[in-house]
Amino acid sequence: MMRPILISDPTLRDGSHAIHHRLTVEQISAYTRMAEEASIPIVEVGHGNGLGASSLQLGESLVSDKQMLEVCREHLKRTKLGIHVIPGFATIKKDLNNAIDIGVDVIRVASHCTEADVTQRHIEHCRTREREVYGVLMMSHMAPASILIAEAKKMQSYGAQGIIIMDSAGAYLPEEVKEKMKALVSSLDIPVGFHAHNNLGMAIANSVAAIEEGATILDATMKGFGAGAGNAQLEVLIAVLQLTGYETGIDLYRLLDASDVAEQNFITVPTISSSSIVSGMAGVFSGFAKPVERIAKQYNLDPKDIYFELGKRKVVAGQEDLILEVAVSLSQLR
Amino acid sequence: MMRPILISDPTLRDGSHAIHHRLTVEQISAYTRMAEEASIPIVEVGHGNGLGASSLQLGESLVSDKQMLEVCREHLKRTKLGIHVIPGFATIKKDLNNAIDIGVDVIRVASHCTEADVTQRHIEHCRTREREVYGVLMMSHMAPASILIAEAKKMQSYGAQGIIIMDSAGAYLPEEVKEKMKALVSSLDIPVGFHAHNNLGMAIANSVAAIEEGATILDATMKGFGAGAGNAQLEVLIAVLQLTGYETGIDLYRLLDASDVAEQNFITVPTISSSSIVSGMAGVFSGFAKPVERIAKQYNLDPKDIYFELGKRKVVAGQEDLILEVAVSLSQLR
C-alpha cells in the first residue's frame, strides 16, 4: 500500500526571497493555475517572511498581501491556499483577519525553534475562526530534540493541527533529521512535517529521511526556488516518492510540464554557491549572505571566517548587526 | 580518527559533456592550477566519453587529447593527472601509449556494467607500463549486485587496482547504493569507488551512502558540472565529508574559492530539468535527451512516454536508433 504524504508548496512564498519579493500578478496567477492542474494539495503564497512582512527592512512585495491572496483565491479550487505567519510581522486584528476574510484555507504560524510561546494567540485565533492551522519551528538545527518536543507540545496545546520542523539554514544531514523526526513523531499527537533547504545538497535525502521516521507532511518548491541554496525540488521529490512507494495525489506529468513553464516565466533555479555551503556548515540563515559579503570586503576578510564565527555565536535572523561586531573582532585578531 | 577518502575530480572530463567538449586551453590551464592549489588528489581530463572519443558522432573536442594532456601535465605537480578510457574509442597502440608517454598518472578503463571482458587488454597494458589503473562499470543500475561483483572480479583479475561503480543515468537511491557497495566491498580485494549523477537529487546522499558501506573512492565535479543533471558537487561533498569525519586532504577554503572562479570562467551550473528527472526514473543515460526531445516533437508525443518505454527496453548508449522505433510504436498505440 502506498503511504500518503501531504505536500505543501511554498514556491510563491519561499521562492519570493530569491527575487526580492517581486512576483507579479501574472506570475502568481499562472502558477496557481498550473498547481491546480497538477493537483498540488497546498500552495503557500506571500512575502518570503510571511504575511505582513513586506517592509523597507525586509524588502517590499511588488504585490500586496491582499491582492496576492485575492488572485490566488480566484484560481484555486481543489488546491488549498496557504500562508506563512510570523507573529511580530503579522498582526491578528488586521493581517490575519484580512487573510481569513479573503478565504485562506491553511495557516502556518511560525517562531524561532525555542520561542513557541509567541505563536499562542495567533494559533488560538485561527482555531476560533475555524481555519486549518499548523505550528512551525524555524532554525530547528539550533535546538536538541528534547527542546523541539517541548516547543512543539506548546503549539499542540494552543490548537496546532500539525508541526513543521524547518531546516532554515540547510544545516541538517539525514542522520540528525531521522533522530529528531523519530523523537517528535513518537512524542506528539498531531502530524509532523519537514521543510528542507539544500545548502549541503541534502534537501531531497533529508525529506525522505523525515518520512522514513514517520513525518507525513513535506514542503517542496518548483525547481527548488527559494532562499539561498533553495528548497527541496518539488518535481524531484515527487519522482522519488513515487519510486519509493509514497502517494501524494500529485500528477507527476503535469507537475513536470508546470516546472518547465515556471522556469521559463519566473524561476531563477537556485544553485549551491560557496557561501551557501559555508552558511549550511555554520548553521547561519541565508539572509545573512549579502551583508556578510559586503562587510567582508570592507574589512578585507574572508567571508567564510565571518560565517563560521557567526555560527559559533548562534546568530538568528534580526541579529545582522553582529556581523559588523564579528568583522571588527576578526580584524583585530589578525 | 578521520577516515581517508580518495577524491577524483572529472570536472574537465564529465563536465565537457555539458559544453559539447568546448573547453579551451586557457580554461583547462586555469582549472588545473586551482586544483593543484586546493590539493585535489586526481584531476581527470578529456572528451566527455574519454580518450580518443572526439568524433563527429560524439562531438569533437576543441582541444585535442594530446594538447590537453600536455597542458595539464605542465601544471599538475602534486595533483595526479587522470584519464577515462573506453576500449573501442581509445586504442592501445596510439591513444593509450600517447597518453602514457605524455605522463598521465591514473587511467580509468571503463565498460558497460556487464562487459568487463572488453577492458582486459587495456588494463593489462596499463599495468605493463606501470601506471595506476582502475576498472569502471558504467550504467551499473542495470545489473544486480551479483553481476557487478562478477564483472568487477574480472577487472581485478586483469590487474585493476580499484573498481569504480558509475551511476551513469542518475537512477540510484541511497538504499540501492548501500546494498551494492556492501556486496562489492566484501567481495573484492581492491578499493571500491562510486561516481554519482544528480538526476534524482541524490548525488551527495548516494556518495555518502557508498562510503558508509566501505567505498573509499568518490568522484565529484566542481559545481556538479557534468552530463545531464550533473555529478556530485565537489565543494558540497567535501563540506559534508568534513562534517561527518572523513579526510580527503583537500583544502576546503581554496576549493570554495576555486568554485567561484570556475563558475565565472566556464562552468554552466547544471540544474535538474524535467527530462533529467524522467531519465533518472527510467534509468536512461542523459545522452538520449536531445534526440528524444527532437523525435517526440516530430511525432507529437510526450518525451516522458518515450523515456519510460526506452527504460523498459533497457537501452544503453549507442542504441539511439531505438528512439525512433519506440516513437513509431507509441504513435501507433494512440
Side-chain angles (χ1 to χ4, degrees):
Chain A
M1 209 194 66
M2 306 281 273
R3 292 169 51 194
I5 299 293
L6 175 63
I7 299 290
S8 181
D9 166 8
T11 299
L12 299 179
R13 197 273 304 165
D14 214 328
S16 74
H17 277 301
I19 52 168
H20 311 291
H21 323 286
R22 302 274 94 189
L23 286 169
T24 67
V25 168
E26 291 69 32
Q27 289 163 342
I28 295 164
S29 308
Y31 190 77
T32 50
R33 279 194 301 266
M34 295 191 296
E36 179 83 18
E37 272 174 37
S39 303
I40 296 175
I42 304 171
V43 164
E44 190 180 287
V45 307
H47 186 280
N49 298 83
L51 195 70
S54 173
S55 59
L56 267 179
Q57 202 191 355
L58 296 169
E60 288 184 284
S61 297
L62 181 65
V63 175
S64 72
D65 289 342
K66 183 169 182 288
Q67 191 180 5
M68 195 179 307
L69 290 172
E70 283 169 350
V71 166
C72 294
R73 188 65 284 164
E74 189 190 325
H75 294 298
L76 297 178
K77 312 289 176 204
R78 290 172 307 151
T79 294
K80 289 181 180 174
L81 173 56
I83 49 171
H84 182 74
V85 169
I86 302 180
F89 297 142
T91 62
I92 293 176
K93 241 183 181 167
K94 188 169 155 274
D95 302 314
L96 197 52
N97 275 335
N98 277 350
I100 293 172
D101 291 343
I102 294 170
V104 70
D105 300 302
V106 180
I107 299 161
R108 296 267 192 99
V109 184
S111 76
H112 181 67
C113 62
T114 56
E115 297 172 13
D117 309 70
V118 306
T119 64
Q120 178 167 5
R121 288 184 52 246
H122 288 69
I123 292 176
E124 287 174 353
H125 186 75
C126 293
R127 291 303 299 266
T128 306
R129 295 214 48 190
E130 298 180 338
R131 294 289 136 168
E132 201 173 326
V133 59
Y134 295 84
V136 176
L137 294 172
M138 301 189 291
M139 295 291 280
S140 67
H141 70 286
M142 299 183 83
S146 57
I147 301 286
L148 296 181
I149 290 170
E151 297 295 310
K153 280 189 173 175
K154 289 182 195 168
M155 289 173 159
Q156 181 177 287
S157 76
Y158 307 152
Q161 291 152 299
I163 301 294
I164 312 302
I165 300 300
M166 281 199 173
D167 183 13
S168 312
Y172 280 127
L173 298 176
E175 282 311 307
E176 195 181 348
V177 173
K178 283 189 181 183
E179 179 220 320
K180 286 184 169 172
M181 286 295 135
K182 193 175 178 180
L184 281 156
V185 167
S186 65
S187 307
L188 298 175
D189 305 319
I190 51 178
V192 176
F194 187 72
H195 173 104
H197 278 275
N198 202 34
N199 298 58
L200 299 176
M202 289 294 193
I204 298 292
N206 284 343
S207 301
V208 172
I211 57 176
E212 279 174 353
E213 296 300 335
T216 52
I217 305 167
L218 289 176
D219 286 4
T221 65
M222 200 68 91
K223 290 272 162 191
F225 195 48
N231 296 62
Q233 187 174 339
L234 178 59
E235 321 86 281
V236 176
L237 182 67
I238 300 307
V240 170
L241 294 183
Q242 195 164 303
L243 289 170
T244 48
Y246 294 92
E247 173 56 46
T248 64
I250 293 177
D251 180 331
L252 180 63
Y253 268 40
R254 291 295 76 73
L255 186 71
L256 292 169
D257 293 341
S259 107
D260 292 338
V261 174
E263 185 173 359
Q264 284 155 24
N265 283 337
F266 68 95
I267 287 178
T268 314
V269 185
T271 62
I272 309 179
S273 67
S274 57
S275 75
S276 299
I277 294 168
V278 176
S279 98
M281 289 179 87
V284 175
F285 179 58
S286 65
F288 279 72
K290 287 236 171 85
V292 165
E293 301 286 340
R294 182 168 44 76
I295 292 170
K297 193 169 269 178
Q298 200 178 318
Y299 282 78
N300 197 23
L301 291 164
D302 190 324
K304 306 180 201 58
D305 290 323
I306 299 182
Y307 274 116
F308 285 118
E309 186 58 31
L310 288 168
K312 278 185 208 151
R313 299 196 187 189
K314 299 194 177 306
V315 297
V316 297
Q319 296 185 307
E320 284 77 359
D321 48 332
L322 273 178
I323 302 171
L324 198 61
E325 195 180 312
V326 163
V328 170
S329 64
L330 286 176
S331 299
Q332 287 165 348
L333 278 176
R334 275 193 310 205
Chain B
M1 209 193 66
M2 305 280 275
R3 294 168 50 193
I5 299 293
L6 176 63
I7 299 290
S8 181
D9 167 8
T11 299
L12 299 179
R13 198 274 301 165
D14 213 327
S16 74
H17 276 303
I19 53 169
H20 311 292
H21 323 287
R22 301 277 95 189
L23 285 169
T24 67
V25 168
E26 290 68 31
Q27 289 163 341
I28 294 164
S29 309
Y31 190 76
T32 50
R33 279 194 301 267
M34 295 191 296
E36 180 81 18
E37 273 174 39
S39 304
I40 296 174
I42 305 170
V43 163
E44 190 179 288
V45 308
H47 186 280
N49 298 84
L51 196 71
S54 174
S55 60
L56 268 180
Q57 203 189 355
L58 295 169
E60 286 183 287
S61 297
L62 181 65
V63 175
S64 73
D65 289 340
K66 184 168 180 292
Q67 191 180 3
M68 195 179 308
L69 289 172
E70 283 168 350
V71 166
C72 293
R73 187 64 286 163
E74 190 190 326
H75 294 298
L76 297 178
K77 313 290 174 200
R78 291 172 306 151
T79 294
K80 290 181 177 174
L81 173 55
I83 50 171
H84 182 76
V85 169
I86 303 179
F89 297 143
T91 63
I92 292 176
K93 245 186 178 160
K94 188 169 154 278
D95 302 312
L96 197 51
N97 277 333
N98 279 348
I100 293 171
D101 291 342
I102 294 170
V104 72
D105 300 302
V106 180
I107 300 160
R108 297 268 192 96
V109 184
S111 76
H112 181 67
C113 62
T114 56
E115 295 172 15
D117 310 71
V118 305
T119 65
Q120 178 167 7
R121 289 185 52 248
H122 287 69
I123 291 176
E124 287 173 352
H125 185 75
C126 294
R127 290 304 299 265
T128 306
R129 294 215 50 192
E130 298 179 338
R131 294 290 135 170
E132 201 174 325
V133 59
Y134 295 83
V136 175
L137 295 172
M138 301 188 292
M139 295 291 280
S140 67
H141 70 285
M142 298 182 82
S146 57
I147 301 286
L148 295 181
I149 290 170
E151 298 293 311
K153 280 189 171 172
K154 289 182 194 168
M155 288 173 160
Q156 179 178 288
S157 76
Y158 306 151
Q161 292 151 297
I163 300 294
I164 313 300
I165 300 300
M166 282 199 173
D167 182 14
S168 313
Y172 281 128
L173 299 176
E175 281 311 306
E176 195 180 351
V177 173
K178 284 189 179 184
E179 179 220 319
K180 287 184 169 173
M181 287 293 134
K182 193 176 180 179
L184 282 156
V185 168
S186 65
S187 307
L188 299 175
D189 305 320
I190 52 178
V192 176
F194 187 71
H195 173 105
H197 278 275
N198 202 35
N199 299 58
L200 299 177
M202 289 292 193
I204 298 292
N206 284 342
S207 300
V208 172
I211 58 176
E212 279 175 353
E213 296 300 334
T216 52
I217 306 167
L218 289 176
D219 286 4
T221 65
M222 201 68 90
K223 290 269 159 193
F225 195 48
N231 295 60
Q233 187 173 341
L234 178 58
E235 321 88 278
V236 177
L237 182 66
I238 300 306
V240 170
L241 294 182
Q242 196 164 303
L243 289 171
T244 48
Y246 294 91
E247 174 56 48
T248 63
I250 293 178
D251 180 331
L252 180 63
Y253 268 40
R254 292 295 75 74
L255 186 72
L256 292 170
D257 293 341
S259 107
D260 292 337
V261 175
E263 184 174 358
Q264 283 154 25
N265 283 337
F266 67 94
I267 286 178
T268 314
V269 185
T271 61
I272 309 178
S273 68
S274 58
S275 75
S276 298
I277 294 169
V278 175
S279 99
M281 290 179 86
V284 174
F285 180 58
S286 65
F288 279 73
K290 287 237 172 86
V292 165
E293 301 285 340
R294 183 168 44 77
I295 292 170
K297 193 169 270 182
Q298 199 177 321
Y299 282 79
N300 197 23
L301 291 164
D302 190 324
K304 307 180 200 61
D305 290 324
I306 299 182
Y307 274 115
F308 285 119
E309 186 59 30
L310 288 168
K312 277 185 209 152
R313 297 194 188 191
K314 297 191 179 304
V315 296
V316 297
Q319 295 186 309
E320 285 77 359
D321 49 329
L322 272 179
I323 302 170
L324 197 61
E325 196 179 310
V326 163
V328 170
S329 65
L330 285 176
S331 300
Q332 287 165 347
L333 277 176
R334 275 192 311 204

